[in-house]
Amino acid sequence: MIGLDPGLRKTGWGIIEVEGSRLIHVANGIVHSDASCSLAERLVQLYDGLTSVIADWEPHSAAVEETFVNKNPTSTLKLGQARGVVLLVPAMAGIPVAEYTPNHIKKSVVGSGHAAKEQVHAMIGVLLPGVKVNGEDAGDALSVAICHAHNGGGHRSLHSTMSKKKNPLEEALNAPPGAQIIVPGRRQR
Amino acid sequence: MIGLDPGLRKTGWGIIEVEGSRLIHVANGIVHSDASCSLAERLVQLYDGLTSVIADWEPHSAAVEETFVNKNPTSTLKLGQARGVVLLVPAMAGIPVAEYTPNHIKKSVVGSGHAAKEQVHAMIGVLLPGVKVNGEDAGDALSVAICHAHNGGGHRSLHSTMSKKKNPLEEALNAPPGAQIIVPGRRQR
């Protein structure tokens, strides 16, 4: 599956696979657009870059963070335009696209909806052993992919993407804040 | 040339041609998306609909209204997503895409940047004799196309799209508010 973190200048992408209750990192990166080009041209750059990522890795499902609408309407519009293209590309390839709120993603990855960004990024290294994250946006995209995996997105049908079935890792991670979280491969303190 | 009025539910489009200082209506309409579908699917519907409009009519330039960012960030985001796809489609077809502010469009069509929507729509009938406008969004799209024509968008190169050369009709329409505007085919009062 592919996780996507939309942005006009940089759109992060991260691909993982689910093997039983284990997550495996496949690839991650960033699609850039050239700020010296027109808006329409930049959207084509995002479209082409993401289309080629999807052609290369053939994910069978996709997830995008539900955008936090900030107070600056110009930024919101700009982000919206990039997000429109980012949602479009997997859908054009026939891949179902799920959306998750930022809090849901944090809760899925760290176990608390109010975790700091640093905690989320640290957990990516724990959940995807050996991962080399190519920048913050690619890390954000991987966290969306992890959240999607924990919510059944690893299964190959649209139906199961929607299912509420939890895997053991998700149950551990969704424990209330302060609970001891046991993650395979991580030493207990 | 094609004018576009982006919206997630309805995107208006209007195609006109320039013959000397005369504008000729070619076609106009609306691309709908199905509100019962997911956001990603709706963006695909807009993409497919507009791609087919451009394939059918082969415009050589495109213009989109610069979006008024309103106070509701959720609406701004939604509009931004649709707008991203609307800007993408002509750019994917290699067509240059111009953007105009709402005031610039009103000034180009009616002669005043503060004209009411009704005045703009009435002028469409005057400037494009015989036009049958297929709904408000298609009318808005035609007004963007007219503005583009008045700003040199009818010429076939990107360079001339950028030129400041005015045609006589544009000069008449850009006269200060209150000035007598003489439009071919319109009886003077």
Side-chain angles (χ1 to χ4, degrees):
Chain A
M1 73 192 65
I2 185 166
L4 294 156
D5 178 45
L8 181 58
R9 201 161 63 85
K10 294 196 265 182
T11 285
W13 58 273
I15 295 176
I16 64 173
E17 270 180 15
V18 181
E19 213 177 69
S21 64
R22 228 161 48 92
L23 303 181
I24 297 161
H25 172 252
V26 177
N28 72 85
I30 290 174
V31 174
H32 294 262
S33 81
D34 180 349
S36 71
C37 294
S38 74
L39 174 58
E41 285 166 333
R42 296 178 74 180
L43 295 171
V44 172
Q45 290 162 5
L46 289 186
Y47 181 92
D48 286 345
L50 290 176
T51 299
S52 119
V53 166
I54 283 180
D56 286 351
W57 300 102
E58 299 182 343
H60 49 80
S61 69
V64 182
E65 186 170 314
E66 266 184 33
T67 301
F68 169 71
V69 282
N70 62 39
K71 281 166 194 158
N72 180 336
T74 308
S75 312
T76 302
L77 181 71
K78 202 180 272 187
L79 178 58
Q81 291 166 163
R83 196 170 192 270
V85 172
V86 168
L87 287 163
L88 177 72
V89 174
M92 292 280 292
I95 299 167
V97 186
E99 296 183 73
Y100 298 99
T101 62
N103 279 11
H104 190 142
I105 293 166
K106 284 179 185 172
K107 202 176 174 197
S108 263
V109 176
V110 180
S112 155
H114 301 284
K117 212 171 178 96
E118 294 70 33
Q119 289 177 281
V120 176
H121 282 225
M123 273 306 275
I124 292 171
V126 174
L127 294 171
L128 304 173
V131 67
K132 193 185 160 291
V133 179
N134 298 306
E136 192 177 319
D137 303 273
D140 289 342
L142 283 170
S143 69
V144 181
I146 292 167
C147 169
H148 193 36
H150 290 168
N151 285 272
H155 301 278
R156 286 191 177 258
S157 78
L158 181 58
H159 178 74
S160 60
T161 304
M162 306 298 180
S163 86
K164 296 281 176 202
K165 201 181 152 204
K166 291 180 178 180
N167 65 41
L169 190 56
E170 186 197 7
E171 279 180 54
L173 289 168
N174 281 339
Q180 192 181 40
I181 300 170
I182 301 165
V183 178
R186 194 188 202 188
R187 218 176 264 270
Q188 267 183 259
R189 281 180 290 190
Chain B
M1 72 193 64
I2 186 167
L4 294 156
D5 178 46
L8 181 59
R9 202 162 63 85
K10 294 196 265 182
T11 285
W13 58 273
I15 295 175
I16 64 172
E17 272 180 12
V18 181
E19 213 177 70
S21 65
R22 227 162 49 95
L23 303 182
I24 298 162
H25 171 254
V26 177
N28 72 85
I30 290 173
V31 174
H32 294 262
S33 81
D34 180 349
S36 70
C37 295
S38 74
L39 174 59
E41 286 166 332
R42 296 178 74 179
L43 295 172
V44 172
Q45 290 162 5
L46 289 186
Y47 181 92
D48 286 345
L50 290 176
T51 298
S52 120
V53 166
I54 283 179
D56 287 351
W57 301 102
E58 298 182 343
H60 49 81
S61 69
V64 182
E65 186 170 316
E66 267 184 35
T67 300
F68 169 70
V69 281
N70 63 38
K71 279 165 197 160
N72 180 337
T74 308
S75 312
T76 302
L77 181 71
K78 200 179 273 187
L79 178 59
Q81 290 165 165
R83 195 169 193 272
V85 172
V86 169
L87 288 163
L88 177 73
V89 174
M92 292 280 291
I95 299 167
V97 186
E99 296 183 74
Y100 297 99
T101 62
N103 279 11
H104 191 143
I105 293 166
K106 285 178 184 173
K107 202 176 173 197
S108 264
V109 176
V110 180
S112 156
H114 301 285
K117 211 170 179 93
E118 294 71 33
Q119 288 178 283
V120 175
H121 281 226
M123 273 307 275
I124 292 170
V126 174
L127 294 172
L128 305 173
V131 68
K132 192 185 159 294
V133 180
N134 299 305
E136 192 176 320
D137 303 272
D140 289 342
L142 283 170
S143 69
V144 181
I146 292 167
C147 169
H148 194 36
H150 291 169
N151 286 272
H155 301 279
R156 286 188 176 259
S157 79
L158 180 59
H159 177 73
S160 60
T161 304
M162 307 298 181
S163 85
K164 295 281 177 202
K165 201 181 154 203
K166 291 179 179 181
N167 64 39
L169 191 55
E170 186 198 7
E171 279 180 57
L173 289 169
N174 280 340
Q180 192 182 40
I181 299 170
I182 301 166
V183 179
R186 194 188 202 190
R187 218 176 265 269
Q188 268 183 256
R189 281 181 291 191

